[in-house]
Amino acid sequence: MWLLRVFGVIYLITVCAAQQTVTTFDYGDSLTTVQTATAYKAPVPVLLLQTSWYDVFPSEKVELRCSISNSENSEWTFSWYRDDSKITSDGSSVLTVTADPQKHGSYFCEGKHKTKGVVTERSQRMELKVYPNKPKPTLSRSSSFGVMYPGESIEFSCTVNPSSGWEYVWYHNGKEIQVSHSNTYKIPSIAHDNSGDYYCKAKRGKDPFYTDASESTNLDVSDPPTPVLKLLTQWADVFEGETVDLSCEVSRSVHSHEWMFTWYRRQQELHKNSNLEIYENGSKLKIKSISQANEGDYECMAKLSSRNIISGFSNSHNIIVHDTLPKPSLTKKPGFHSMYVGESVTVTCSVLVSSGWRHQWYKDGKSLPGTSETLSFTLDHSYKGEYHCKATRSTATSTRDSNTITLNVLEIPVPSLELKSKWLHVFPTESVKMSCRLQQSDSDWKYTWKRDGVEVQAVDSISFGSDAAILSISSASSGHSGRYTCEGHLQGRTVRSSISSELFLQVYDKKPTLTLEQSPNYKVMFAGENVFYSCNINVASEWEYSWYKNEILLESPSESTYSFSLDGTTNSGEYKCRATRAGDPVFTTEFSNKIPLEVNVNKPKPLIAQQPDVQKLYVGENVSFHCSVDISSGWAYHWYKDGVEHSSSTKTLTITSVSLPDRGTYDCMAIRERTKFQTEHSNTKTLNIAEIPVPSLTHETKWLDVFPNETVSLSCKMDQDSSEWSYTWYRDKDVQAENQGTELTFSASASHRGDYTCSGKLKSRPVISKSSPPLILNVYDEKPKVTLVQDPKHEVMHTGDSVSFSCHINVSSGWEYRWYKNGTPLPRSGNNHTIRNVATADTGDYTCKAGRGKTFDTKTENFSFSTKAMRIEIRERPQASIELLTGWSEVFSTDSLVLRCEVKESQDKWNYTWSKEGAQNNLTSGERYIVTPQNDLEQGEYTCKGVRIGRPSYSKTSESFKTKNLLLKRRVLLSISGCIFFGIVVVLIGCIVLRAVRKPANNDEKPEEANLFVSMTQQKMTDMPCPLVEYITDAALNAPPKEEEEDGTICSETTPLPITTPEDQAVTTDHSATETNGGLVSFQQ
């Protein structure tokens, strides 16, 4: 197969090469090759409809594909047309049309080859029809009864007239019904949960397009109506001798006139007598003179004679005949829980029984003046408190104290003004958005806006949100500049907030000015150099930039800078830029200034001159070379000796008092300082020199920064024939010793501090060398100090933290370090000591020692200088634990488990993270986590951990908690326990009945009762097994939980058990009683 691919590639290359004619022209020193492409007939593209319909609706998507046969689409770019007008030329072969009426028309496409530039003919046309509006289905129903009763059937039908291919979706009370997508939906037997509003929609397509919803129809399902009993007199609690009227009626029924009523008191039917009057159809009952004997619950019952339907009992009404006085009711208006300073409030004290009452008011237990039924006042903080009242009638009658009302008076909140758009400095036609909100307030606030103290109105380009919390300026102008403030007022109340802080909006009266700069700013540049343009604007924001050369837009990044490498004269021209920034609409600046650029192709060659221009120089003479380039500017010069770059970068290279290393061949080259563009090398100049040798000065000791009394040894030597020279030593250029040997040794003190050099004198001839390079000797005044640093700097840390100690001496080098804990050496060296996972055993005092050589106070070891002790204390990190909150009483009423995470060893406030199977899967971060079949189908092991701001920042991870089959096993155990209990009760009842009905037998025929049941003693002796005990005490259940096992131990409500399915959940149970009894026992003791 791979051989076939190789031969195929070779064949394609051959064919492509054959389609090109190559012509070569000779122009003196260069060859020019021209390739001529072979022409061929342009193909015709094919337009394909990828979706299923030509007639579509607004927002529905249609996908068209333009394809060229016998060619790869990746070789072509495509243009799309609608009704002969080009709509896009982005090159894509796929056009996705989001339908709206303006996109109705005839579509076609054409292609252009990316490399050959060939343009195809136009494809065939494809007509797209777009309806102006979404369709709306028509919903009908088989029954038009206003109220229907359980057991009846009904069928709904949904139709959409335009277009085809529809699938239907049904909705009940706004929720989709999971049924087939038929246009009919039938309920064969109506139940109460079928009540509600029904409507339908239609959809079609891969990314479904939905029609509008149909008109909804209401299905009212009710049981036969229950009569309503009403009290027609003023009070249900009356005094003896008063008249009471009651009525009974059937509401919401089209047959209400056909119902007959019967009256009951305390479940006993009432009949008409001298004190009871009942109307003809029983709809009303009058008690003429009530007494204590008439007290009780009154009910009525209705019967629909035409359909033989009997209702249940009505609501009951308890008639109370008082022999004591009532308790007043205290109410507040308005009834808002919180009130604001400046609002008005009215408190009313009502006595619901009888009349003629005088009222007494109390605030915080103290009496208030006035006897009216109401109190009204304008609030300030002095009115905050608890209010109650009581009523009196005559001189001897007084009610009990009323209920207490707490009046909470708050200060009016201050609004917060924020900018929602990107900029406070905008230009004409840009949009601006601001928001005004009150913190910790309800949603009933509306807002008023002001600019420079004048209220802002919704005119021209200014608009507001529904509650005026958002101010939008769609097209800014200079008149919109100013300082904006806002204030809130509570709807339906007289509460107004204070004015917010100011937000200053500046709208410029004209577009900003762009400044174009070139770097480097050379007027003439050369091929190979890089040029950098910067487009600067005086207002900083998120601008995008466009770049132009000779008025033609360049394909460049939208950044404020544009850089490129010059490749020839094609880069010559005038450059400019302009900027845009996103908005609605997009804002565009004017063009910047223009900068011309001239590009040369050939590199220049520098000229070199020598002064003095001689063939040979001797040691001590001076020589200089001069290098120059006469084209453009900005040159920095580089010198080369024997092809190696020289350290000098000036236009003139001067060598003062030449030496032997200066001999060789010299030339120069110029480099642009900013572009690093290099010229050609100049012609060469040869320099011949003979030089006197220079001695070499070295230090024999290891350090040049020493302490008092340390021995210092220096050595001065010539590279060759050193014994023929004598040496003179200098400190800070002062002579220390003359005509000495090669070494200088002394015991260091502060007076020896300085720069040391040496020079040589030839013993046989008066030739003096230059001084050697200096060596700097530094002698300290005192012993060094050791510094110990701890990171992090906490005296108390927790297990699992990391701590590092750093020990260092800032002076000199060659130091060695040792570490100690509580005075005991640690098996570590180096200036750093790190404990990556601290434990409580790491608590203690830490010190270090440093030293070098055998100096100072110690004689036998290198470590001479100690730090002060630094102490750290390690405490145990608190442990998180998981508790199961779902109890026994909930096992049959819930499908979920509620887990709680708690750090019991800490009094700090914690947040919590949850993990499943050891991985955190974006679970809830709260204290509680609910395991449900929906969020945890497989239900496994859970852990949690506490996190907080402060130290410690996290706790230990809790032990894993298994949830599998927990609710299921609790249900099973409770069910088994219930069955056993029920069986015991049945056996007891059976035994009692058997004793009662059985005839006595003779003593010799009487069976021995002792054998009927197993006694407690026998059971304990024989250890008879019980199924419940075997289930609860199963070895597999009681075995310690393991990570690889699915079963847990059933012993408590917090023991984790696996859940096998989303429907089954597990519980645990206490089996102590079962373990004690072990099953059924004898009634005989």
Side-chain angles (χ1 to χ4, degrees):
M1 180 57 72
W2 66 272
L3 287 175
L4 290 177
R5 292 180 179 175
V6 171
F7 288 138
V9 171
I10 295 173
Y11 174 77
L12 290 175
I13 294 173
T14 304
V15 171
C16 292
Q19 291 180 355
Q20 296 181 345
T21 302
V22 180
T23 305
T24 304
F25 299 89
D26 188 356
Y27 292 96
D29 296 334
S30 63
L31 292 176
T32 302
T33 301
V34 179
Q35 294 184 348
T36 304
T38 303
Y40 62 92
K41 184 178 180 180
V44 179
V46 177
L47 182 59
L48 303 174
L49 177 67
Q50 300 298 103
T51 49
S52 302
W53 306 279
Y54 292 95
D55 48 346
V56 293
F57 300 92
S59 77
E60 196 170 9
K61 293 186 183 297
V62 179
E63 185 174 287
L64 304 175
R65 179 178 293 276
C66 193
S67 179
I68 297 177
S69 60
N70 300 324
S71 177
E72 291 292 333
N73 277 4
S74 59
E75 300 175 358
W76 298 83
T77 61
F78 297 88
S79 298
W80 291 87
Y81 299 82
R82 180 178 65 244
D83 296 335
D84 297 324
S85 297
K86 182 180 287 188
I87 58 175
T88 178
S89 58
D90 59 359
S92 175
S93 63
V94 177
L95 175 65
T96 301
V97 180
T98 302
D100 64 52
Q102 296 180 352
K103 296 180 180 177
H104 178 97
S106 177
Y107 287 76
F108 61 90
C109 66
E110 67 179 13
K112 182 178 180 181
H113 201 280
K114 292 182 178 179
T115 57
K116 298 184 176 66
V118 176
V119 179
T120 69
E121 296 183 7
R122 293 181 174 181
S123 69
Q124 83 279 12
R125 294 175 179 266
M126 187 170 290
E127 190 73 19
L128 182 65
K129 180 179 180 181
V130 182
Y131 290 97
N133 299 305
K134 282 187 176 183
K136 185 175 183 178
T138 302
L139 179 64
S140 60
R141 55 188 284 179
S142 60
S143 174
S144 60
F145 296 120
V147 177
M148 302 190 71
Y149 298 103
E152 294 183 287
S153 65
I154 191 170
E155 184 177 68
F156 300 94
S157 297
C158 187
T159 56
V160 178
N161 290 326
S163 195
S164 60
W166 299 103
E167 295 180 352
Y168 294 85
V169 184
W170 293 91
Y171 297 86
H172 176 213
N173 291 334
K175 295 182 179 179
E176 183 178 347
I177 305 172
Q178 301 300 323
V179 295
S180 63
H181 297 296
S182 170
N183 68 327
T184 61
Y185 173 58
K186 185 175 181 180
I187 305 175
S189 180
I190 296 175
H192 283 286
D193 55 0
N194 298 123
S195 294
D197 292 326
Y198 288 80
Y199 65 92
C200 65
K201 290 182 181 179
K203 67 176 183 178
R204 70 179 183 183
K206 178 175 62 177
D207 295 324
F209 165 78
Y210 286 84
T211 67
D212 288 335
S214 68
E215 296 293 337
S216 64
T217 182
N218 181 264
L219 179 61
D220 189 3
V221 181
S222 298
D223 287 324
T226 300
V228 178
L229 186 148
K230 295 181 179 179
L231 179 66
L232 300 181
T233 51
Q234 191 172 0
W235 304 286
D237 42 359
V238 297
F239 298 98
E240 290 188 345
E242 290 186 310
T243 299
V244 176
D245 291 321
L246 301 171
S247 70
C248 188
E249 61 185 24
V250 176
S251 61
R252 298 192 308 109
S253 175
V254 296
H255 306 286
S256 59
H257 62 283
E258 299 178 11
W259 294 91
M260 300 294 293
F261 301 91
T262 306
W263 290 89
Y264 297 85
R265 181 173 68 85
R266 295 176 179 172
Q267 302 294 318
Q268 299 295 322
E269 185 176 354
L270 297 177
H271 299 282
K272 184 176 182 180
N273 58 35
S274 59
N275 195 38
L276 294 178
E277 183 177 350
I278 300 176
Y279 284 67
E280 182 176 355
N281 64 345
S283 61
K284 290 185 179 180
L285 170 68
K286 178 187 285 291
I287 306 174
K288 297 178 181 179
S289 179
I290 199 164
S291 65
Q292 292 284 332
N294 298 117
E295 277 191 340
D297 292 329
Y298 286 76
E299 299 170 308
C300 64
M301 183 180 290
K303 179 178 180 181
L304 184 61
S305 58
S306 61
R307 297 171 63 177
N308 198 26
I309 295 176
I310 299 175
S311 74
F313 282 101
S314 71
N315 58 302
S316 63
H317 206 101
N318 186 25
I319 301 297
I320 301 174
V321 181
H322 286 286
D323 57 357
T324 59
L325 294 173
K327 177 181 179 180
S329 174
L330 186 61
T331 58
K332 178 183 71 172
K333 187 176 182 181
F336 304 115
H337 175 70
S338 297
M339 305 288 291
Y340 295 94
V341 172
E343 285 191 289
S344 297
V345 66
T346 299
V347 184
T348 303
C349 184
S350 302
V351 180
L352 302 179
V353 178
S354 195
S355 60
W357 302 99
R358 298 174 70 253
H359 301 81
Q360 179 65 48
W361 293 91
Y362 298 88
K363 175 180 177 290
D364 296 331
K366 297 181 180 180
S367 177
L368 298 176
T371 60
S372 64
E373 187 178 5
T374 61
L375 286 180
S376 298
F377 33 79
T378 301
L379 293 176
D380 59 35
H381 287 293
S382 64
Y383 289 100
K384 182 185 296 185
E386 293 184 345
Y387 292 79
H388 74 275
C389 68
K390 69 178 181 178
T392 60
R393 183 169 64 183
S394 74
T395 58
T397 304
S398 179
T399 68
R400 292 171 291 166
D401 287 344
S402 70
N403 56 299
T404 299
I405 287 182
T406 301
L407 195 57
N408 189 16
V409 183
L410 304 177
E411 286 289 346
I412 300 174
V414 178
S416 174
L417 179 58
E418 295 180 358
L419 178 69
K420 292 298 184 182
S421 51
K422 293 184 178 180
W423 308 285
L424 275 172
H425 300 270
V426 297
F427 299 96
T429 72
E430 288 193 288
S431 61
V432 180
K433 183 175 288 187
M434 303 178 222
S435 73
C436 185
R437 291 292 181 191
L438 288 167
Q439 298 296 328
Q440 297 180 347
S441 63
D442 53 37
S443 59
D444 293 330
W445 289 88
K446 297 199 70 171
Y447 301 88
T448 303
W449 294 79
K450 291 184 179 181
R451 180 178 63 243
D452 296 332
V454 179
E455 185 173 350
V456 180
Q457 303 293 334
V459 294
D460 297 330
S461 59
I462 298 178
S463 61
F464 299 98
S466 58
D467 57 355
I470 301 296
L471 168 64
S472 299
I473 303 175
S474 59
S475 179
S477 64
S478 58
H480 294 128
S481 295
R483 300 185 183 278
Y484 285 79
T485 58
C486 67
E487 62 178 346
H489 58 275
L490 203 53
Q491 299 183 71
R493 297 164 71 172
T494 59
V495 180
R496 299 188 72 88
S497 73
S498 58
I499 298 176
S500 70
S501 58
E502 293 182 344
L503 193 64
F504 180 72
L505 175 66
Q506 181 179 359
V507 183
Y508 296 95
D509 56 356
K510 61 180 181 180
K511 293 184 177 181
T513 302
L514 288 175
T515 302
L516 180 62
E517 296 178 354
Q518 175 186 328
S519 177
N521 56 349
Y522 307 135
K523 294 183 179 180
V524 179
M525 300 188 72
F526 301 89
E529 287 188 287
N530 294 322
V531 65
F532 178 91
Y533 289 97
S534 174
C535 194
N536 302 316
I537 193 168
N538 57 357
V539 178
S541 61
E542 299 177 3
W543 296 98
E544 294 185 359
Y545 297 83
S546 302
W547 295 88
Y548 298 82
K549 186 189 84 173
N550 297 333
E551 306 300 328
I552 298 175
L553 178 65
L554 298 174
E555 295 182 0
S556 61
S558 59
E559 305 294 333
S560 62
T561 59
Y562 177 42
S563 61
F564 55 93
S565 178
L566 301 175
D567 56 6
T569 57
T570 56
N571 299 119
S572 298
E574 288 186 336
Y575 289 82
K576 64 180 181 178
C577 66
R578 70 176 176 181
T580 60
R581 71 176 179 183
D584 187 15
V586 175
F587 180 79
T588 304
T589 68
E590 300 294 342
F591 284 101
S592 70
N593 56 299
K594 297 179 180 178
I595 295 180
L597 177 65
E598 178 183 350
V599 181
N600 286 349
V601 177
N602 298 323
K603 287 186 176 182
K605 184 175 182 179
L607 299 176
I608 186 171
Q610 177 182 337
Q611 183 65 34
D613 190 11
V614 295
Q615 295 296 320
K616 185 177 181 179
L617 293 172
Y618 294 95
V619 171
E621 290 187 295
N622 298 331
V623 66
S624 63
F625 298 95
H626 183 75
C627 188
S628 62
V629 178
D630 57 358
I631 301 177
S632 192
S633 61
W635 300 104
Y637 296 87
H638 292 253
W639 293 90
Y640 296 84
K641 174 178 174 291
D642 299 329
V644 179
E645 185 173 358
H646 197 275
S647 59
S648 176
S649 61
T650 60
K651 192 173 185 178
T652 299
L653 172 62
T654 300
I655 305 174
T656 302
S657 187
V658 296
S659 59
L660 286 176
D662 297 322
R663 61 188 174 186
T665 300
Y666 289 80
D667 68 322
C668 68
M669 180 187 68
I671 299 179
R672 282 277 177 88
E673 293 177 346
R674 302 184 66 179
T675 65
K676 306 305 178 184
F677 174 79
Q678 301 179 1
T679 67
E680 295 182 356
H681 282 259
S682 69
N683 296 329
T684 61
K685 290 285 184 180
T686 302
L687 186 64
N688 296 318
I689 302 169
E691 181 184 352
I692 299 171
V694 177
S696 175
L697 177 60
T698 59
H699 59 92
E700 297 298 319
T701 53
K702 294 183 179 179
W703 309 283
L704 282 176
D705 49 344
V706 297
F707 298 93
N709 299 324
E710 274 194 299
T711 299
V712 179
S713 179
L714 304 177
S715 174
C716 185
K717 293 180 181 180
M718 291 292 184
D719 292 336
Q720 296 178 354
D721 301 322
S722 179
S723 60
E724 298 178 3
W725 295 80
S726 62
Y727 300 91
T728 301
W729 295 88
Y730 304 86
R731 183 181 72 244
D732 298 332
K733 298 183 179 180
D734 294 329
V735 176
Q736 300 297 307
E738 292 182 298
N739 300 323
Q740 297 294 315
T742 59
E743 290 189 0
L744 177 66
T745 303
F746 53 88
S747 179
S749 66
S751 61
H752 292 105
R753 189 183 298 127
D755 294 347
Y756 284 78
T757 57
C758 67
S759 63
K761 181 179 179 182
L762 196 60
K763 296 178 181 179
S764 61
R765 297 193 306 272
V767 177
I768 299 175
S769 73
K770 296 179 181 179
S771 295
S772 67
L775 284 179
I776 301 173
L777 179 64
N778 184 23
V779 183
Y780 295 98
D781 295 326
E782 57 184 6
K783 296 179 180 180
K785 294 182 179 179
V786 188
T787 303
L788 178 60
V789 178
Q790 175 187 339
D791 183 30
K793 297 180 179 180
H794 302 309
E795 293 183 0
V796 177
M797 306 189 72
H798 295 83
T799 54
D801 288 343
S802 176
V803 64
S804 295
F805 297 94
S806 175
C807 185
H808 61 90
I809 296 178
N810 289 333
V811 294
S812 194
S813 59
W815 300 103
E816 296 180 5
Y817 300 86
R818 286 185 181 176
W819 293 92
Y820 298 82
K821 175 190 170 187
N822 296 330
T824 302
L826 295 175
R828 290 183 182 241
S829 60
N831 67 324
N832 291 316
H833 176 49
T834 301
I835 308 175
R836 302 195 179 279
N837 196 352
V838 299
T840 55
D842 295 318
T843 299
D845 296 328
Y846 289 81
T847 57
C848 77
K849 289 184 179 180
R852 68 180 181 186
K854 296 183 179 180
T855 59
F856 301 102
D857 300 333
T858 59
K859 300 297 183 181
T860 59
E861 64 178 39
N862 294 341
F863 302 91
S864 303
F865 310 104
S866 299
T867 65
K868 292 183 179 180
M870 185 170 289
R871 181 171 182 79
I872 61 170
E873 179 182 354
I874 312 300
R875 297 178 181 175
E876 280 291 337
R877 189 174 300 278
Q879 174 72 47
S881 62
I882 297 179
E883 180 182 0
L884 176 64
L885 298 183
T886 303
W888 284 90
S889 59
E890 300 172 271
V891 297
F892 292 105
S893 62
T894 182
D895 283 333
S896 62
L897 293 174
V898 180
L899 307 180
R900 180 173 68 188
C901 189
E902 184 178 8
V903 180
K904 297 182 177 180
E905 302 172 1
S906 174
Q907 300 299 320
D908 298 314
K909 184 176 181 180
W910 294 85
N911 295 321
Y912 300 90
T913 59
W914 292 84
S915 301
K916 177 187 174 186
E917 306 294 345
Q920 186 170 351
N921 298 322
N922 296 324
L923 301 181
T924 180
S925 61
E927 180 185 22
R928 299 188 178 189
Y929 179 71
I930 301 176
V931 181
T932 66
Q934 289 73 28
N935 68 9
D936 192 4
L937 296 177
E938 298 180 357
Q939 302 183 5
E941 293 188 6
Y942 289 84
T943 58
C944 71
K945 182 171 68 173
V947 295
R948 59 184 292 267
I949 299 175
R951 301 190 66 253
S953 60
Y954 63 94
S955 71
K956 292 182 181 178
T957 303
S958 70
E959 296 183 358
S960 61
F961 188 97
K962 298 181 180 179
T963 62
K964 199 168 187 180
N965 284 342
L966 196 55
L967 278 176
L968 176 61
K969 290 192 175 182
R970 282 196 176 181
R971 290 173 177 170
V972 170
L973 293 177
L974 283 179
S975 300
I976 293 174
S977 300
C979 292
I980 293 174
F981 175 80
F982 180 78
I984 292 172
V985 172
V986 171
V987 171
L988 283 172
I989 295 173
C991 292
I992 293 171
V993 172
L994 185 61
R995 283 178 172 268
V997 300
R998 190 183 59 167
K999 294 182 180 181
N1002 296 328
N1003 290 336
D1004 33 317
E1005 297 178 352
K1006 184 177 180 180
E1008 188 172 341
E1009 292 181 353
N1011 297 324
L1012 292 177
F1013 299 95
V1014 179
S1015 68
M1016 181 69 74
T1017 304
Q1018 293 173 330
Q1019 184 191 28
K1020 292 180 178 178
M1021 293 175 61
T1022 57
D1023 292 330
M1024 296 179 64
C1026 173
L1028 180 60
V1029 174
E1030 290 182 347
Y1031 180 86
I1032 297 175
T1033 60
D1034 192 292
L1037 295 177
N1038 287 325
K1042 299 180 180 178
E1043 294 183 357
E1044 67 274 14
E1045 295 179 353
E1046 293 185 354
D1047 293 337
T1049 304
I1050 305 179
C1051 60
S1052 69
E1053 294 191 1
T1054 60
T1055 302
L1057 290 174
I1059 300 177
T1060 57
T1061 66
E1063 293 78 11
D1064 297 330
Q1065 304 183 5
V1067 293
T1068 61
T1069 184
D1070 185 355
H1071 59 278
S1072 59
T1074 307
E1075 291 179 342
T1076 302
N1077 296 331
L1080 295 177
V1081 298
S1082 174
F1083 294 103
Q1084 299 179 355
Q1085 297 296 325

